[in-house]
Amino acid sequence: MVALAAVLALFAPSGAGGGERRPLKIAMFADLSSVYSQSGGKGAIEAARMAIEDFGASAGAPVGFVFADPHNNAKNGAAIARKWYAEGVDVIADVPNSAVALAVQQVSREAKRIVLFSSPASDDLTGPSCSPYSVHWTYDTYAAAHGTAQAIINAGGDSWFFITADYAFGDAMERDASDVIRSEGGMVLGGARAPLGTMDFSRYLLQAKNSQATVVGLAVAGQDMINALRQASEFSIVQDGQRLAGLLVSIADVNSLGLQIAQGLRMTSAYYWDQNDATRRWAARFFAKTKRMPTMVQAGVYGALAHYLKAVQAVGGADAEAVMAKMRETPINDFMTHDGRLRIDGRVVRDMYLFEAKTPAESKYPWDYLKLLQTIPADEAFRPLGEGGCPLVSER
């Protein structure tokens, strides 16, 4: 963990002419060393810096920026968040783990300060645990399950065995995918729980193979997803007649695996760098800084902070109530989102996209990994507002 004293010392006016204005203080959690370091990590920090470069000057005050790695530990995340808010941090961005995010969201609610989630997936963040001060920006388990699982069910995958991350994200992903499967008349034949950071998935894959389920659903993410998919190939899961469903696959995972292994995988995403001219222009800027194409999480960090900074400019300050109201009333339009909107439960609603990993022969240039199968309209992609159990909905 980064030492807090050193972290907070970075909060200083960024440029001359600030006068008596208090700097706007932006903090961020990032996984710099563990399972989510490729999908978020240093790239997410760079995306945040890009948003501050592009929109920070218009916010009406100097901007300070700092980050820390909570090491996927909810207690660490809550303690750092509490300290940051006490020191005057206005907004916390990203948070690379659902369990940490749920803990940070509670601290945010108590402090009445804003938190912007891009990495965490659990849709409980906008369900029973929802907060008037949090924004779930990029995607969630409901969207991922209803995109990828629905497509696989439509293609005949009617019986499933889950290998699930043993914490809040995995719980939510398996639950949401199971709801889709059962609603379509399918069956869940069993499952296994894998600790975060599992290196050897062999015993879980053997259970999946012995279940004779049509589909092996992988409700894991990041390096865990890479390990599971690579070892599934070694176990000849697909070759022996079962299908693999990676319920949260990123372009970083495909890049690590290579198309020889990843080909045919279907995934639901809010962003792919090669969709259109706007996505390519932003990706080119990101690539120039990182030498990698951005994931949807990294693109979402930029989008969330850009929307926040525009709201700060519009209301003339960082008051959380005023900024959240402005963010909700302002349509979201950027390189990855068209006419998106922020609901009262904290969910950003936007179109999602179902992609399939190309075969090696189909890929024509570096990072040419995915082909679009379907655009999922916003109102179909995300859970209906009244079904999540968010208390803020009934209070309206």
Side-chain angles (χ1 to χ4, degrees):
M1 187 189 309
V2 180
L4 285 178
V7 170
L8 293 171
L10 295 177
F11 283 129
S14 57
E20 297 299 319
R21 295 177 302 167
R22 182 179 72 82
L24 181 68
K25 298 181 179 181
I26 297 173
M28 177 175 172
F29 285 115
D31 183 342
L32 300 177
S33 58
S34 187
V35 293
Y36 303 129
S37 58
Q38 288 193 56
S39 59
K42 293 179 181 178
I45 292 168
E46 194 57 56
R49 287 179 170 143
M50 290 169 65
I52 292 168
E53 289 170 6
D54 290 349
F55 299 101
S58 66
V63 178
F65 174 64
V66 69
F67 57 86
D69 185 346
H71 298 286
N72 292 312
N73 183 290
K75 289 184 178 179
N76 285 349
I80 297 170
R82 193 170 288 112
K83 178 66 173 177
W84 275 345
Y85 286 135
E87 294 288 343
V89 165
D90 296 292
V91 62
I92 293 175
D94 201 20
V95 191
N97 169 302
S98 291
V100 179
L102 287 162
V104 170
Q105 179 162 264
Q106 179 58 34
V107 177
S108 162
R109 183 188 293 108
E110 294 167 358
K112 298 184 178 180
R113 301 290 177 87
I114 295 172
V115 59
L116 309 170
F117 298 121
S118 184
S119 292
S122 175
D123 59 6
D124 288 346
L125 289 163
T126 55
S129 299
C130 70
S131 165
Y133 303 102
S134 67
V135 178
H136 204 180
W137 185 266
T138 306
Y139 74 109
D140 62 19
T141 51
Y142 183 99
H146 282 70
T148 305
Q150 186 69 61
I152 292 171
I153 292 166
N154 291 345
D158 58 357
S159 62
W160 290 58
F161 183 96
F162 283 98
I163 299 175
T164 301
D166 194 13
Y167 78 105
F169 151 67
D171 294 342
M173 184 64 85
E174 181 178 336
R175 178 193 66 212
D176 290 338
S178 296
D179 287 346
V180 176
I181 294 161
R182 292 180 177 121
S183 71
E184 295 294 327
M187 298 178 293
V188 177
L189 300 184
R193 314 292 287 184
L196 187 66
T198 293
M199 299 298 294
D200 183 1
F201 280 84
S202 57
R203 66 189 180 104
Y204 309 121
L205 290 165
L206 184 59
Q207 290 178 58
K209 204 163 189 178
N210 290 338
S211 75
Q212 299 186 336
T214 306
V215 182
V216 180
L218 299 175
V220 296
Q223 188 61 45
D224 288 349
M225 178 65 77
I226 294 169
N227 292 341
L229 286 170
R230 186 174 284 130
Q231 291 164 35
S233 177
E234 296 167 2
F235 268 72
S236 302
I237 295 289
V238 174
Q239 295 91 322
D240 291 345
Q242 290 177 299
R243 302 182 189 185
L244 284 172
L247 294 169
L248 186 53
V249 181
S250 79
I251 191 175
D253 303 336
V254 176
N255 185 63
S256 293
L257 290 165
L259 290 178
Q260 190 62 44
I261 293 176
Q263 61 182 307
L265 274 175
R266 294 184 176 185
M267 63 205 75
T268 303
S269 182
Y271 169 83
Y272 173 53
W273 76 270
D274 205 13
Q275 285 176 268
N276 53 54
D277 288 344
T279 59
R280 284 188 284 270
R281 280 194 298 269
W282 190 83
R285 291 181 57 204
F286 182 90
F287 187 89
K289 295 175 181 291
T290 66
K291 306 309 177 189
R292 297 175 64 85
M293 286 302 179
T295 65
M296 71 166 171
V297 161
Q298 292 159 346
V301 168
Y302 177 96
L305 275 173
H307 194 64
Y308 169 82
L309 289 167
K310 291 175 187 177
V312 169
Q313 178 190 23
V315 304
D319 176 78
E321 307 283 353
V323 172
M324 285 297 298
K326 179 55 68 173
M327 291 177 73
R328 290 191 191 100
E329 73 180 40
T330 305
I332 302 167
N333 285 289
D334 59 24
F335 65 92
M336 65 178 286
T337 307
H338 306 287
D339 294 325
R341 65 187 189 278
L342 172 58
R343 299 191 313 203
I344 189 67
D345 62 350
R347 175 70 261 159
V348 168
V349 181
R350 61 155 62 75
D351 291 349
M352 296 289 287
Y353 307 95
L354 180 67
F355 293 102
E356 183 175 275
K358 293 182 175 182
T359 66
E362 290 173 318
S363 179
K364 304 303 182 185
Y365 42 85
W367 293 88
D368 176 27
Y369 294 152
L370 306 182
K371 54 188 176 185
L372 178 65
L373 298 182
Q374 179 186 354
T375 297
I376 307 169
D379 290 336
E380 296 178 18
F382 293 96
R383 181 176 58 200
L385 181 60
E387 294 182 7
C390 172
L392 300 174
V393 176
S394 59
E395 293 170 4
R396 288 196 305 169

